[in-house]
């Protein structure tokens, strides 16, 4: 009866003190394009953590890396420090492979061979960090746009988009235009091309180039993407019987502008320049200022929203502006 009770107690005691053996994990990194023989930074495995005496008590240990593409690294022991380190065997490319999951294997020096492994003693992860080795590229070819010359100011007429296969800040882009012009502005963060000044009456195309630049160091800039915007008179000029167009817009013809009802008060929706006068003044004739949702600046010719627009109650606003020579 005594042994019947004691035996289960002993078994419980032994099992209760047994701990699972977990393979230690180590993590390091190396920058892409580093020359072969570059040290894997942040990775230093203390020899005592892998307990080599347990496996090779007399003849010394032999280290081996296992895992997919393990041949891209070689392992060696730094005997003075008592640590195991990794170095690269090849030039690494983050765009091809961003991380390596490897195992450190150990066997006795006397029985080491290409196939014999006694134990996997550590798990290793190596991150390949990005360097700014790619320039941004545009997804589209050069662009030619025909734009109504009565298009409202602040309208987005086109959006450019570039890609950079680097990562992090090396892939964050800003956009800009050269040569700078007063009619269009490229929003740096989005690539939106905005109409910022009136092109009313322009006859010649407006040409400029857009570039994308990343935030890496040193920064890399894309090849140019050429933009050509040709103003078109609105409404379109009617054709005469002989097929020839009128030489100029008829003065009484209205200019149609489309404006969002969400446009905020104070927004400039259009500029009436250029006109045939070198020095012009502008005056709202109809309706009067108290009844019009739009005002006109006497000197600049800016059409400015003066009260909230409501498409349901007033879908169309017709105004008459008098333009005269100040002289």
């Amino acid at each position: 009866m005594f042994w019947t009770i004691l035996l289960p107690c002993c078994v419980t005691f032994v099992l209760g003190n047994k701990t699972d053996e977990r393979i230690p994990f180590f993590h390091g990194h190396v920058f892409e394009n580093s020359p072969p023989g570059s040290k894997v930074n942040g990775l230093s495995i203390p020899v005592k953590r892998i307990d080599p005496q347990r496996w090779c008590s007399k003849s010394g240990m032999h280290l081996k890396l296992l895992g997919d593409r393990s041949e891209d690294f070689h392992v060696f022991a730094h005997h003075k420090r008592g640590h195991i380190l990794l170095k690269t065997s090849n030039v690494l490319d983050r765009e091809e492979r961003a991380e390596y999951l490897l195992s450190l294997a150990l066997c006795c020096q006397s029985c080491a061979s290409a196939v014999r492994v006694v134990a996997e003693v550590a798990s290793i992860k190596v991150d390949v960090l990005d360097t700014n080795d790619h320039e941004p590229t545009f997804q589209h070819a050069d662009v030619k746009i025909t734009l109504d010359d009565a298009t409202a100011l602040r309208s987005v007429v086109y959006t450019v988009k570039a890609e950079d296969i680097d990562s992090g800040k090396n892939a964050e882009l800003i956009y800009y235009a050269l040569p700078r012009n007063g009619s269009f502005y490229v929003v740096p963060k989005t690539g939106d091309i905005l109409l910022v000044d009136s092109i009313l009456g322009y006859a010649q195309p407006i040409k400029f180039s857009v570039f994308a630049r990343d935030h890496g160091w040193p920064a890399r800039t894309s090849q140019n993407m050429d933009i050509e915007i040709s103003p078109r008179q609105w409404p379109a000029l009617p054709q005469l019987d002989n097929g020839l167009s009128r030489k100029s817009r008829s003065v009484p013809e209205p200019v149609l502008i489309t404006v969002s009802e969400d446009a905020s008060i104070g927004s400039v929706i259009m500029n009436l320049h250029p006109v045939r006068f070198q020095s012009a003044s502008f005056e709202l004739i109809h309706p009067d200022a108290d009844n019009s949702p739009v005002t006109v600046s006497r000197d600049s010719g800016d059409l400015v929203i003066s009260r909230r627009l409501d498409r349901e109650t007033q879908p169309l606003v017709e105004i008459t502006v008098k333009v005269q020579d100040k002289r």
Side-chain angles (χ1 to χ4, degrees):
M1 190 66 181
F2 173 80
W3 289 107
T4 304
I5 297 174
L6 180 60
L7 183 60
C9 292
C10 293
V11 171
T12 303
F13 176 82
V14 172
L15 294 177
N17 284 273
K18 183 178 181 180
T19 57
D20 294 333
E21 294 184 3
R22 291 188 176 90
I23 296 177
F25 173 78
F26 300 91
H27 188 193
H29 64 270
V30 63
F31 282 94
E32 66 172 340
N33 302 324
S34 298
S38 297
K39 180 183 173 182
V40 176
N41 298 306
L43 180 66
S44 182
I45 304 174
V47 173
K48 61 182 180 181
R49 287 288 305 276
I50 65 173
D51 192 14
Q53 292 297 323
R54 175 182 176 185
W55 310 101
C56 306
S57 56
K58 296 181 180 180
S59 57
M61 62 180 181
H62 176 78
L63 301 172
K64 182 178 179 64
L65 283 177
L66 305 176
D68 185 29
R69 296 285 296 274
S70 59
E71 65 274 11
D72 288 341
F73 301 89
H74 65 268
V75 60
F76 66 97
H78 195 298
H79 296 292
K80 291 184 178 180
R81 289 188 175 182
H83 284 66
I84 298 170
L85 307 175
L86 259 64
K87 288 186 177 180
T88 60
S89 300
N90 303 304
V91 177
L92 307 182
D93 184 356
R94 187 200 64 86
E95 285 72 40
E96 178 186 347
R97 191 184 186 98
E99 67 176 25
Y100 291 78
L101 300 177
L102 308 172
S103 295
L104 178 64
L106 180 148
C107 65
C108 294
Q109 190 73 40
S110 59
C111 61
S113 67
V115 294
R116 180 176 175 80
V117 174
V118 174
E120 295 182 18
V121 293
S123 178
I124 300 172
K125 180 182 178 183
V126 179
D127 290 324
V128 182
L129 303 186
D130 187 53
T131 60
N132 197 25
D133 57 343
H134 294 90
E135 67 180 27
T137 56
F138 283 105
Q139 299 175 342
H140 308 290
D142 299 340
V143 173
K144 292 184 177 181
I145 304 170
T146 299
L147 184 67
D148 294 336
D149 65 357
T151 299
L153 299 186
R154 308 295 298 177
S155 297
V156 178
V157 301
Y158 192 78
T159 300
V160 297
K161 182 66 176 178
E163 289 185 344
D164 192 321
I165 61 175
D166 290 319
S167 66
K169 287 191 174 296
N170 295 334
E172 295 178 5
L173 305 179
I174 61 170
Y175 302 90
Y176 62 94
L178 290 176
R180 301 185 185 279
N181 64 89
S183 300
F184 297 95
Y185 172 72
V186 179
V187 180
K189 288 187 177 181
T190 64
D192 291 340
I193 300 177
L194 301 182
L195 175 65
V196 294
D197 199 4
S198 174
I199 57 172
L200 192 65
Y202 276 35
Q204 298 299 320
I206 301 169
K207 301 179 181 180
F208 55 93
S209 296
V210 178
F211 298 84
R213 185 175 66 235
D214 61 35
H215 286 277
W217 182 259
R220 289 182 175 267
T221 303
S222 70
Q223 299 293 319
N224 59 297
M225 178 179 181
D226 293 332
I227 308 291
E228 179 179 314
I229 301 178
S230 300
R232 177 182 60 191
Q233 289 184 337
W234 181 264
L237 297 178
Q239 299 293 320
L240 300 179
D241 293 339
N242 60 4
L244 299 177
S245 300
R246 295 179 184 177
K247 292 184 179 180
S248 62
R249 179 186 292 148
S250 176
V251 173
E253 288 182 352
V255 175
L256 181 64
I257 308 172
T258 302
V259 182
S260 170
E261 66 177 348
D262 296 328
S264 60
I265 296 175
S267 297
V268 178
I269 58 174
M270 184 180 177
N271 185 278
L272 298 179
H273 275 293
V275 294
R276 58 191 178 91
F277 306 123
Q278 291 184 356
S279 179
S281 65
F282 304 86
E283 181 182 356
L284 181 64
I285 301 299
H286 177 79
D288 57 55
D290 294 335
N291 297 315
S292 174
V294 178
T295 62
V296 59
S297 172
R298 182 177 181 82
D299 296 322
S300 67
D302 288 343
L303 293 182
V304 182
I305 296 177
S306 57
R307 72 165 186 251
R308 184 176 178 181
L309 304 178
D310 189 347
R311 187 185 65 83
E312 284 68 34
T313 60
Q314 195 176 16
L316 182 65
V317 177
E318 184 175 348
I319 65 172
T320 302
V321 178
K322 179 181 179 182
V323 184
Q324 59 185 359
D325 192 347
K326 286 185 178 180
R327 300 177 298 177

